[in-house]
Amino acid sequence: MSHPTLPGQPFVHYAQGQLHVEDCAVNALAAQHGTPLFVYSKAAMLAALAAYQKGFAGRNAQICYAMKANSSLAVLQLFAKAGCGFDIVSGGELARVLAAGGDAGKIIFSGVGKTRAEMHEALLVGIGCFNVESEAEIDVLNQVAMAAGRKAPISIRVNPNVDPKTHPYISTGLKGNKFGIAHERTLATYQRAAGLPGLQVVGIDCHIGSQITEETPYLDAMDRMLDLVESIEAAGIPIEHIDFGGGLGINYNGDTPPTADALWTKLLAKLDARGFGQRKLMIEPGRSLVGNAGLCVTEVLYLKPGEQKNFCIVDAAMNDLPRPAMYQAFHSIVPLHASPTVPDSAVYDVVGPVCESGDWIGHDRLLQVQAGDRLAVLSAGAYCMSMSSNYNSRPKAAEVLVDGGQAHLIRQRDSLADQLRGELLL
Ligand SMILES: *Cc1c(COP(=O)(O)O)cnc(C)c1O
């Protein structure tokens, strides 16, 4: 038996020749719930969280799960029960956190385009902090807070202008990005915000990008943030918390990001050295908490051999797994059965049924498959289901959360009625 490698998947393994998530055979889950099917490991999510908790042991720290990575209610519920706060980017995400039993006081609200209605709602439920991203937003938030008779707790998102060395679409802390307030404008902006009656300055934050696999960008951003905290406090404005954002990468294909606790040991040493070790710390991890905790099972519909390319056409597509089409991202694709020594394998482009040439899941993959086989697309816990759509009028997939030998259905597959709901004929 040859076992395909499973990069970064401690809770996914082959047992008796069958792919398992924890103690559940993936094939049996697919037979029961159909495909495409997302399968998540509860233990993997909690282990990823535990790495951060270990890194911050003994510190005054709040982990706010950046829920856009995977915003399914049961996933939020799991993190809320484990003590997490949440980093949200919309009123819809606010409603989800509250529906999942999250604590409003531990919510931070990021995003460059918050509407007045979203601000108002967040103020009424008493979120912990607004991470403000522009000078114009400061004025609008001040007005909304005054009209509501509240004081909005704010942090200003600083753009530290460091290169996270990741894909340009997920790099957010460079001068040319739309996020945050320029480093040079930060002190003046804090001084203005501190004088506005509807606002209460509580923190400072940054978030430099996603799928970061090196520690240097974090160390550089931290230095630049601490320089700013020193100058803001010298101007008489106290900063209660420092929020270092998210962005830590995961292993998709032999990537070697630092572990959360190793990274934070280094960062905390720097904080201590600069005299900020006792400050309240916040972080906003998304992908690194859920990415390697999930896979997507898909069924092979057709094999289509060709002169230049062989295509393996599967029933999952860019509407379910948008990362390859959006970022040319790599996901490992493995069989559900550990195969014998692969005699009649071939190299395929694994593609979905959507009518776009961009609808591919993997290029040039060596597979031994036939129609009707099922495959698992790995590292599909982050930015897959939460980015999925109904493009081509395809139903959104079902989701299962595995806990040891138990599998809980946490989202039903869209019905056709779900898809038509809300639409009106002339
Ligand atoms: C997306 C996002 C995060 C999480 O990023 P990951 O790469 O998933 O860890 C954190 N903070 C903000 C403001 C974000 O937009």
Side-chain angles (χ1 to χ4, degrees), residues 36-40 65 67-72 250 252 286-287 290-297 316-327 329-332 361 377-390 396-399 411:
L37 177 71
F38 284 92
V39 182
Y40 306 122
Y65 167 50
M67 62 177 282
K68 71 179 187 292
N70 186 323
S71 50
S72 297
I250 62 171
Y252 284 104
R287 185 191 313 271
V290 292
N292 275 337
L295 53 77
C296 180
V297 199
M318 63 187 286
N319 71 299
D320 307 296
L321 295 163
R323 299 186 63 260
M326 274 191 77
Y327 318 114
F330 182 97
H331 288 273
S332 288
I361 315 270
V377 181
L378 301 183
S379 308
Y383 302 108
C384 290
M385 191 64 194
S386 60
M387 289 176 96
S388 69
S389 76
N390 291 115
K396 284 198 191 175
E399 293 175 295
R411 181 197 300 260

Side-chain angles (χ1 to χ4, degrees), residues 66 68-69 87 89 110-111 133 157 207 209-211 245-248 284-288 383:
K68 71 179 187 292
D87 176 55
V89 293
S110 301
E133 302 227 14
R157 176 167 176 182
H207 171 68
S210 201
Q211 187 51 20
L248 182 58
E284 308 165 353
R287 185 191 313 271
S288 53
Y383 302 108

